[in-house]
Amino acid sequence: MKVIAVVGNGIAGSEAAEAARRVDRDARIVLLTKEPYPLYSACVLADYVADRIPLERVVLKRAADFGRDRIDLLLSKQVVEWSADARMLRFEDGELPYDRLVIATGSRPVVPNLPGFNKEGVVALKTLADAEQLRAARGGAAVVVGTGPVGIEAAIALSRRGWKVTLVELLDRVLPRLFDEPLALILKKRLEDHGIDVFLGERVLEVQGDARVEAVRTDRRILTAETVVLVIGMRPELSLVDRKQVAFGDSGGVRVDRHMQTSREGVWACGDCTESEDLVTGRIGLHMLWHNARLQGRIAGANAAGAHRQYPGSLNVTTVNIFDETAASVGFLASELTGNEMTVLHKKAPWGELRLILKDQCLVGVQALGSTDRLGGLVTMMMQGRNLRKVLLKKPAVSEGPAGWILRGLQRDLRRLMDAD
Amino acid sequence: MAKVLVLDSERCLGCKLCEIVCSVKKERVSDPSRSRIRVLRWERGQEALPVFCQHCEEPLCALVCPVDAIKREESTGLVVPDREICVGCGGCVSICPMLGAGFDNREHKALRCDLCQGDPACVKCCPTGALRYVDSDQSQIDRKRAAARKLYLR
């Protein structure tokens, strides 16, 4: 019997196993994970820490759900060696020969090479075990290092638990990869209004304490803390794989083709450990978002079972929720482009704010605050790469979708901007 | 045969009556911000565009939902979020290309048109017939597929 092995049971691996089963009803499908839990949602761990949702909502699939699809789920099963030529996975207590392999090993938090980061009380917010650790902690003061979406969510969650929370960011604004200064300032103020201290442009130097965390020393101050949440970034988790077995991209993720197949015959990859193309910016890189991982998993799994599906590319719409106000971002930031190649239209409206980034009269980035629905509508226009001046000359076409209407609502501002350009 | 909500945007006056009727019927309040159909207007001029859930074949909202709250109902074929499970992250709102994902800002839950279980109130109240509830024949499905392909694929 054909054996399809999937390593990693995050959303990518889980979807891959399910998709493989839909394509091939007979193959033996084995899903291996070093985690002790079946599938859970990494995106809502902060909500669980904040006691906003119960554990049953975090866990998306139980062992029995995999059983129904006749997927052999092996929990707490760490793969110690992959013999690519022999098509064999080895564990401490055995081995598994396979015919087809899907690598879905995900990502791991970056830990800086600085003193004290191995102390007890330093956690990421990546796994359910991390969330349980934060829930079990005694409370008090926490320092969150890094203000990406996970850092912000972790800070809010701990603050909701009644902790005193301080956010420390190396760069000059919060959520620096998602928002330009104007929106980042509003979001920072929102955090501060809810009692979270935010220190920007500040470098963390060490975690102090004996065995346990007692304080964090930055280049400006010493912050006492019982817990340090470290979320400065994610890297592909590829300790199992080396570059001689499959090719890696410049981003450090596994390189795959449109079918999510790696450079090695019979091996597919999906999810956070894989690099892909951004449908809006065209950039090849790591696009570690839940929905990208889910779709990649479906395609990699189906293809491993014999289908020929193509992955269109990654859609990097990122939504963050800050004390029940949402903000979203897609495409380039103005701060990523130089002043003379781009123009910005920043509109305030009763429903929120919308920031459009234009380059060569094309829409290349959108940030939204409040009601973020217009952002999704505009994505189609960005993917089509249409010249806005030409778009505005014509009547709205069905093929523009709602994007045409949104842009025509802003046409006076847009024209003025492009004329000045 | 399945019926679908269709729009003739040329006929829409932008009166927004559908928003009010929808919120009254589904939420029992007259509050357009909690309507499942929403009318976009240009800055100037008469033209308006009502937006509502298209119940896509491959819905992005279901892909993005971190708690699998959005699923296709087997009995109706509609893509509907489960309010009990929804965590109110707003991810579906930002990603929908058709602006079809509504959001209840008071309860922080996703809102989605469910065609009023086959009897849409907005259609009945629309004074110009811009909104219609019709049998979806194959040619119409093909047209929609073609439009969707233009919209999203390169």
Side-chain angles (χ1 to χ4, degrees), chain A residues 41 43 53 57 290-291 294 315 319 321 324 326 372-373 376-377 380 383-384 399-402 405 408-409 412, chain B residues 38 42-44 47 49 62-66 68 84-85 87-89 93-97 99 108 150-152:
Chain A
S41 175
C43 306
I53 54 170
R57 292 265 185 276
W290 182 255
H291 52 279
R294 196 199 286 262
L315 187 55
T319 307
N321 193 313
D324 291 327
T326 48
T372 59
D373 49 4
T380 56
M383 284 170 50
Q384 292 168 350
S399 62
E400 290 170 0
W405 294 83
R408 280 174 189 81
R412 271 189 305 168
Chain B
R38 291 165 310 125
W42 290 6
E43 211 165 61
R44 291 207 268 181
E47 297 88 340
L49 183 70
L63 213 55
V64 88
C65 181
D68 287 352
E84 290 296 305
I85 298 179
V87 288
C89 70
V93 177
S94 334
I95 209 159
C96 176
L99 283 74
H108 304 291
K150 269 193 197 158
L151 197 64
Y152 239 96

Side-chain angles (χ1 to χ4, degrees), chain B residues 27-84:
Chain B
E27 301 291 325
R28 305 197 175 279
V29 285
S30 173
D31 179 357
S33 74
R34 298 170 80 189
S35 168
R36 285 151 170 79
I37 182 168
R38 291 165 310 125
V39 182
L40 298 188
R41 281 199 89 139
W42 290 6
E43 211 165 61
R44 291 207 268 181
Q46 289 283 305
E47 297 88 340
L49 183 70
V51 289
F52 44 85
C53 178
Q54 306 290 315
H55 301 285
C56 303
E57 284 184 337
E58 290 180 41
L60 285 173
C61 56
L63 213 55
V64 88
C65 181
V67 286
D68 287 352
I70 304 174
K71 291 205 170 95
R72 191 181 299 281
E73 287 180 349
E74 271 181 35
S75 53
T76 60
L78 300 180
V79 179
V80 179
D82 185 329
R83 261 176 113 113
E84 290 296 305

Side-chain angles (χ1 to χ4, degrees), chain A residues 101-103 246-249 253-271 273-278 284-285 292 295-304 307-314, chain B residues 154:
Chain A
L101 177 70
V102 179
I103 302 171
V246 295
F248 288 17
V254 174
R255 187 187 292 159
V256 289
D257 63 13
R258 284 263 175 208
H259 298 93
M260 305 306 298
Q261 187 164 7
T262 67
S263 59
R264 181 175 285 267
E265 175 100 33
V267 181
W268 287 258
C270 53
C273 64
T274 311
E275 71 171 26
S276 59
E277 184 187 352
D278 182 321
I284 310 269
N292 292 334
L295 188 57
Q296 289 172 8
R298 275 182 202 167
I299 287 164
N303 291 349
H308 296 281
R309 292 182 58 189
Q310 287 200 13
Y311 181 64
S314 291
Chain B
R154 290 180 298 175

Side-chain angles (χ1 to χ4, degrees), chain A residues 239-251:
Chain A
S239 44
L240 180 65
V241 184
D242 83 52
R243 286 163 194 269
K244 284 191 228 76
Q245 294 169 313
V246 295
F248 288 17
D250 295 336
S251 64

